[in-house]
Every structure is written in structure tokens, then in C-alpha cells.
Amino acid sequence: MTVRCTSCGITISGEAYTSFPCPENGNEEIVRCKECRKQSNKYKCPECGFLGP
Ligand SMILES: [Zn+2]
Ligand SMILES: [Zn+2]
């Protein structure tokens, strides 16, 4: 199973990552790789356009 980081778009396979539902609409799953988490990179919900964190 592979997932894609919502922030930088890299494919994450088996590495540490975080995923959580969009804070805005709760539907879309936001995925952040460990690098983006470390650097607090912004993410954008592909569904509603919510910008976080
Ligand atoms: Zn990333
Ligand atoms: Zn959303």
C-alpha cells in the first residue's frame, strides 16, 4: 500500500507518516510525510482547499 504526501507529493511506502481527516470537512484524508511534519510544511486539502496547519 502506498500513500502520497499531501504537502510535497512524494510517495510514501512503509515509512513513518501521519494521516488524519481534513479539519475542515472531515472527509478527505490528509497525509504528511515525516519531512513535512518536521518542517511544518503547509498542506492543502484536495477537496475543500483548506490550508493547514
Ligand atoms: Zn511531504
Ligand atoms: Zn477538506
Side-chain angles (χ1 to χ4, degrees), residues 30-48:
I30 308 291
V31 180
R32 301 182 83 199
C33 69
K34 58 180 191 298
E35 281 304 309
C36 287
R37 213 176 57 186
K38 201 164 70 184
Q39 297 169 27
S40 297
N41 285 349
K42 285 190 172 63
Y43 59 83
K44 187 181 178 187
C45 172
E47 193 174 291
C48 68

Side-chain angles (χ1 to χ4, degrees), residues 18-35:
T18 327
S19 66
F20 51 93
C22 169
E24 183 73 15
N25 60 22
N27 292 326
E28 202 64 26
E29 194 184 28
I30 308 291
V31 180
R32 301 182 83 199
C33 69
K34 58 180 191 298
E35 281 304 309

